[in-house]
Amino acid sequence: MTNGEFKKMLKMIPKIFLHWKKNRDSLISRVYGIYKVKMTSFKPIHLLIMANTLRIEDPSKIMRIYDLKGSTEMREVGVTKNTPPSKVLKDVDFIKN
């Protein structure tokens, strides 16, 4: 997460929280925390800790699961004919499929 994305998320959190309060069944992931971590000899990094939103009654009906971030940079798992439906795929996999 870039510094700009971190700042934008901090500004969005109050509105997102109100949305979750009014819409308990919302599929927008719950944010447990947003942090800036500083360590000696390393650049600071930003972390966003979120809940998994999958609530599936019958897992046998899953065709594909995607973790979409809106980026193609390092966002491919690779799908083969043997890839199980429960494998979490990424943005490039979504584009290709």
Side-chain angles (χ1 to χ4, degrees), residues 13-49:
I13 290 290
K15 287 183 182 178
I16 294 171
F17 178 75
L18 290 175
H19 172 80
W20 291 323
K21 228 174 148 177
K22 293 177 185 174
N23 303 279
R24 297 277 181 194
D25 292 329
S26 174
L27 292 179
I28 296 175
S29 295
R30 274 32 176 198
V31 174
Y32 293 140
I34 183 168
Y35 306 94
K36 183 174 188 173
V37 179
K38 296 179 183 180
M39 297 178 284
T40 306
S41 304
F42 293 96
K43 292 190 316 185
I45 60 169
H46 301 101
L47 300 175
L48 178 66
I49 310 298

Side-chain angles (χ1 to χ4, degrees), residues 34-93:
I34 183 168
Y35 306 94
K36 183 174 188 173
V37 179
K38 296 179 183 180
M39 297 178 284
T40 306
S41 304
F42 293 96
K43 292 190 316 185
I45 60 169
H46 301 101
L47 300 175
L48 178 66
I49 310 298
M50 301 172 78
N52 185 337
T53 59
L54 290 178
R55 296 181 202 128
I56 300 170
E57 293 177 20
D58 185 357
S60 68
K61 293 183 179 180
I62 295 174
M63 294 174 64
R64 291 277 184 243
I65 299 172
Y66 292 95
D67 176 18
L68 302 176
K69 303 286 189 212
S71 173
T72 55
E73 187 70 28
M74 298 179 63
R75 299 291 302 158
E76 182 175 16
V77 173
V79 180
T80 68
K81 63 181 180 180
N82 297 323
T83 302
S86 60
K87 179 74 175 174
V88 178
L89 305 174
K90 298 183 180 183
D91 300 68
V92 174
D93 303 306

